[in-house]
Amino acid sequence: MKIRLYRTREGRTISNTSEHPIIYLLSDSVGETAEFVVRAAASQFNGGEVAIRRIPYVDDKKIIQETVHAAAETKGMIAFTMVVTELQEYLLEEANKASVPVVDIMGPMLEGIGKLFQREPKREPGLVRRLDEDYFRKVEAIEFAVKYDDGRDPRGLLRADIVLIGVSRTSKTPLSMYLAHKRIKVANVPLVPEVEAPEELYMVPSEKCIGLTIDPDQLNGIRRERLKALGLTSQANYANMERILQELEYSEKVIKRVGCPIIDVSNKAVEETANIILEIFRKGGGQR
């Protein structure tokens, strides 16, 4: 038997030699779906061992032609998850000429879901991978929000997409987590008169910062409820109106120095404030 070697888009060399039957997997993406299905199917044949040759990122007819030739030489078969019609048709035509068996893994499901939705599929390669990438970006943003919550590490301010600043109980943490689910990396810094704001805050571009303010009476009510939840007396300095006014005055000075937009969160749900922040973020050229 003639040995044929050729390279995939990843630079790997695929051979047509194996002691087991060979199944060639053609995909216009990574090819993990095809491999999973093939291995699951092969397991139904007494654990039937097959040699899988995965050829990912197929975007031209030459690779298809090479694969068909290799499959013909080894009396193997081809399975594919390509969604581009032109490449599908070319593969089926070439495989038919060479008498190579071919299995369309995605086709029946696309047809079935197309009937369900009553519309044609996009037929764009790599959409699942993009969804996976969106998921991992979301996870990364959530981990970022947790790590740089409440000013824990000022170094995160320079890596954040958005920095929220304001006094305690202005919804900085809930906003950070909500925005993280939109794949935005958010850090937040509590502003307290006795604690100097970190120098990194003044190094962040003003358009990336959002100042949060709130009505003093509403903040007083929120803090009183917080103290009750903690089993503490509502007379603590934390809920003292004079103290609250002092904090808000200090916060206003810092926000003015930063030069960032200000949002009054009084009587606003987290979702409402987040939507305002997202609008500011988009106008500033931020990408979700």
Side-chain angles (χ1 to χ4, degrees):
M1 180 180 69
K2 179 183 177 183
I3 296 177
R4 180 185 298 274
L5 300 173
Y6 60 97
R7 292 189 178 277
T8 69
R9 283 287 189 253
E10 295 175 324
R12 293 183 302 173
T13 299
I14 304 296
S15 79
N16 63 357
T17 59
S18 173
E19 58 185 26
H20 301 297
I22 300 177
I23 300 179
Y24 298 84
L25 306 182
L26 287 168
S27 174
D28 43 26
S29 186
V30 179
E32 290 177 343
T33 301
E35 182 168 349
F36 180 82
V37 172
V38 168
R39 291 194 184 282
S43 70
Q44 297 297 315
F45 296 87
N46 296 321
E49 294 190 29
V50 294
I52 292 177
R53 302 286 188 262
R54 195 202 301 184
I55 301 96
Y57 306 115
V58 177
D59 59 5
D60 63 51
K61 294 178 179 179
K62 183 178 179 182
I63 295 176
I64 292 175
Q65 193 176 59
E66 289 283 345
T67 305
V68 170
H69 289 168
E73 290 173 355
T74 60
K75 293 184 172 29
M77 68 173 285
I78 295 174
F80 70 93
T81 54
M82 296 182 300
V83 295
V84 178
T85 303
E86 181 184 358
L87 296 178
Q88 287 181 346
E89 292 176 347
Y90 182 76
L91 170 59
L92 294 173
E93 180 182 336
E94 290 297 300
N96 183 57
K97 289 179 186 177
S99 298
V100 172
V102 178
V103 176
D104 181 357
I105 293 175
M106 290 278 284
M109 185 58 71
L110 284 174
E111 183 179 350
I113 295 178
K115 289 178 181 177
L116 180 66
F117 289 153
Q118 296 188 339
R119 63 172 182 266
E120 289 297 311
K122 293 181 178 181
R123 296 198 176 277
E124 295 178 22
L127 289 182
V128 170
R129 191 179 178 201
R130 283 182 227 170
L131 289 174
D132 288 343
E133 288 173 353
D134 282 345
Y135 170 78
F136 287 115
R137 280 202 298 271
K138 182 188 294 187
V139 171
E140 184 182 6
I142 292 171
E143 290 176 345
F144 187 94
V146 171
K147 183 174 182 179
Y148 298 111
D149 181 45
D150 210 28
R152 289 176 186 167
D153 186 348
R155 293 173 297 181
L157 301 179
L158 300 176
R159 297 177 50 213
D161 297 318
I162 292 176
V163 175
L164 303 178
I165 55 176
V167 299
S168 173
R169 314 314 292 178
T170 49
S171 300
K172 295 184 299 300
T173 296
L175 283 167
S176 295
M177 297 306 299
Y178 185 94
L179 293 168
H181 280 81
K182 302 291 184 181
R183 304 181 302 282
I184 297 174
K185 294 179 180 178
V186 184
N188 70 74
V189 178
L191 299 178
V192 184
E194 292 79 13
V195 181
E196 193 69 31
E199 284 301 316
E200 288 87 349
L201 176 61
Y202 303 110
M203 298 167 62
V204 178
S206 60
E207 63 270 17
K208 284 191 173 186
C209 291
I210 301 288
L212 303 176
T213 188
I214 189 172
D215 175 76
D217 290 324
Q218 185 173 347
L219 181 58
N220 179 258
I222 292 172
R223 289 189 174 185
R224 283 175 178 271
E225 290 301 316
R226 176 61 175 164
L227 289 173
K228 286 181 184 178
L230 295 173
L232 302 174
T233 172
S234 60
Q235 301 304 312
N237 193 42
Y238 181 67
N240 179 277
M241 181 58 78
E242 184 178 345
R243 169 65 183 183
I244 287 174
L245 292 174
Q246 181 187 4
E247 287 186 31
L248 289 173
E249 182 181 358
Y250 172 73
S251 174
E252 184 180 354
K253 288 180 181 178
V254 174
I255 292 171
K256 282 184 177 179
R257 180 179 170 186
V258 172
C260 63
I262 303 174
I263 299 175
D264 187 341
V265 301
S266 305
N267 301 310
K268 284 188 177 67
V270 168
E271 294 84 357
E272 185 180 356
T273 304
N275 285 333
I276 297 172
I277 293 172
L278 287 172
E279 189 61 31
I280 294 172
F281 183 56
R282 292 191 196 101
K283 287 180 179 178
Q287 299 295 322
R288 284 201 297 157

